[in-house]
Amino acid sequence: SDSYLQKNSRTSRTRLRANAASGAATAATMRRRHFVFACLAHASAAKTSSKAKPPPRAIDVLPPLLVASAITATATYPLDFLRAARMSSAASADAAKLGLRAAVAKFSQGLAPEVAKGTLSRVLKFGGFPVAHRLLYDRAPAAGSAASRAAAGALATFPEMALCTPLETGKLALQLDALKAAPAFDNQLQKAAAALTAAAGPAALYAGYCALQCRQAVWTAVYFASRPAFAEAFGALPGATFCAGLGAGVLGAVANCPFDVCRSVAQKELIGAWVSGGEAVTRAPGLAHALAAGRSVVSARGARGLWAGVGFKSLHLGCGGALMAVLQPACERAWAKARA
């Protein structure tokens, strides 16, 4: 009787352990199935969401972007004029200090090409950035990371600079001409372009392209990568959108300032030589020429010379970034309301 009870007890314990193991296995299987179903549901929801939110149409984006870009280019031009004057004299140890009164008197020199270039540049940059991000990563910039936004921003600058470099070169020629005692171009872009092409061929309009491309890619990458972080830092404070754009623009300006100094000095030397009858070139000067200009700046003024004019540049690009951050969505809302 005792042996029977012991045997029956061992059998009961064995069955209990088997039932417990079976229950655990069943629970693990259910958890795995639940996880798989949850993943499938998430993927399906994401796919449905992406289908429900197609990329915005050009008619919804381009007109308000054009207006915002034109306003920003016009409003920030005086700062760009001061920046160009300081940077182009960076190679001289006794760089001329352009007085504010003289700058205000002459700031209209190059205004038309700068507004045209600035408007076209911002339309291509801010309009091309989300397109480039979708092309590279198949998702909107808001769903990307800082690295993905930086890469998309840099990519968007290539068509921008291919179209805008001649306007940038002509604008700088007019700005430098304004600082002369007897300006030769009479604030006319066609005269400046004709003088440059007559002296050095069509390649003259792309002088400093490599440094310009580096400058633009660095600023755009830093701006779009850092603006969401600045927006998060400012939170719900009044003017947070403006401050986020300002912070991202200033950070980008500090990062790309050496490239801008190198191209400004190189272009000033080339433009002066070509217009005064110097040796003509048959191709656009490359990166080596801009690096040589950078070495001359460091030799004359030390490494800090590479950040000559960074104050005006930070104000120029910082305010430009801030205005675009505010004006672009505001113009889009106004345009949508007008078309409703």
Side-chain angles (χ1 to χ4, degrees), residues 14 87 91 128 164-165 176 185 220 251 288 322:
T14 302
M87 287 184 170
C164 294
T165 297
L176 296 176
F185 299 147
T220 308
L251 185 62

Side-chain angles (χ1 to χ4, degrees), residues 61-62 65-66 69-70 116-133 152-167 213 216 219-220 224 324 328:
V61 175
L62 289 181
L65 182 56
L66 185 64
S69 299
K117 189 273 302 181
T119 301
L120 178 61
S121 173
R122 289 177 175 88
V123 167
L124 292 171
K125 187 201 320 288
F126 285 84
F129 164 64
V131 175
H133 198 280
L155 179 61
T157 62
F158 282 90
E160 172 194 357
M161 295 317 299
L163 294 174
C164 294
T165 297
L167 289 170
Q213 181 62 66
Q216 212 68 5
W219 185 86
T220 308
F224 284 118
M324 286 301 297
Q328 185 179 3

Side-chain angles (χ1 to χ4, degrees), residues 2-312:
D2 291 341
S3 63
Y4 172 77
L5 290 175
Q6 290 175 0
K7 182 178 179 181
N8 192 35
S9 177
R10 284 196 301 270
T11 303
S12 298
R13 286 195 298 269
T14 302
R15 287 177 179 174
L16 288 174
R17 284 195 294 268
N19 289 337
S22 176
T26 302
T29 302
M30 293 297 292
R31 282 196 298 270
R32 284 196 296 269
R33 289 178 179 175
H34 178 74
F35 177 75
V36 170
F37 288 145
C39 290
L40 291 174
H42 179 74
S44 177
K47 189 178 296 185
T48 303
S49 177
S50 64
K51 289 181 179 178
K53 294 182 180 180
R57 298 175 301 169
I59 189 63
D60 297 326
V61 175
L62 289 181
L65 182 56
L66 185 64
V67 173
S69 299
I71 294 173
T72 302
T74 305
T76 58
Y77 176 73
L79 295 171
D80 181 67
F81 182 82
L82 293 170
R83 173 205 61 79
R86 290 292 178 88
M87 287 184 170
S88 60
S89 60
S92 303
D94 56 344
K97 302 297 183 182
L98 184 64
L100 184 59
R101 186 173 300 175
V104 171
K106 297 181 176 181
F107 91 95
S108 62
Q109 195 86 348
L111 175 61
E114 167 58 18
V115 171
K117 189 273 302 181
T119 301
L120 178 61
S121 173
R122 289 177 175 88
V123 167
L124 292 171
K125 187 201 320 288
F126 285 84
F129 164 64
V131 175
H133 198 280
R134 289 182 183 276
L135 181 66
L136 290 176
Y137 303 102
D138 196 26
R139 59 180 181 267
S145 63
S148 70
R149 289 190 293 269
L155 179 61
T157 62
F158 282 90
E160 172 194 357
M161 295 317 299
L163 294 174
C164 294
T165 297
L167 289 170
E168 179 74 22
T169 304
K171 177 205 73 176
L172 184 61
L174 291 178
Q175 288 177 335
L176 296 176
D177 187 55
L179 302 180
K180 296 179 181 178
F185 299 147
D186 204 21
N187 199 23
Q188 296 182 28
L189 180 62
Q190 62 271 26
K191 285 188 177 181
L196 294 177
T197 52
L205 298 178
Y206 280 86
Y209 168 79
C210 292
L212 276 169
Q213 181 62 66
C214 292
R215 175 198 79 165
Q216 212 68 5
V218 169
W219 185 86
T220 308
V222 172
Y223 177 81
F224 284 118
S226 63
R227 199 175 80 177
F230 278 105
E232 185 178 349
F234 287 110
L237 293 175
T241 302
F242 182 91
C243 293
L246 179 67
V250 169
L251 185 62
V254 173
N256 83 343
C257 193
F259 297 103
D260 209 7
V261 168
C262 291
R263 74 95 189 177
S264 296
V265 172
Q267 284 187 321
K268 179 185 177 182
E269 294 173 353
L270 290 169
I271 290 170
W274 293 339
V275 174
S276 62
E279 183 180 356
V281 297
T282 57
R283 61 182 178 84
L287 187 59
H289 187 270
L291 292 175
R295 286 193 293 270
S296 69
V297 171
V298 173
S299 176
R301 304 185 62 187
R304 66 191 181 97
L306 294 175
W307 277 269
V310 69
F312 288 122

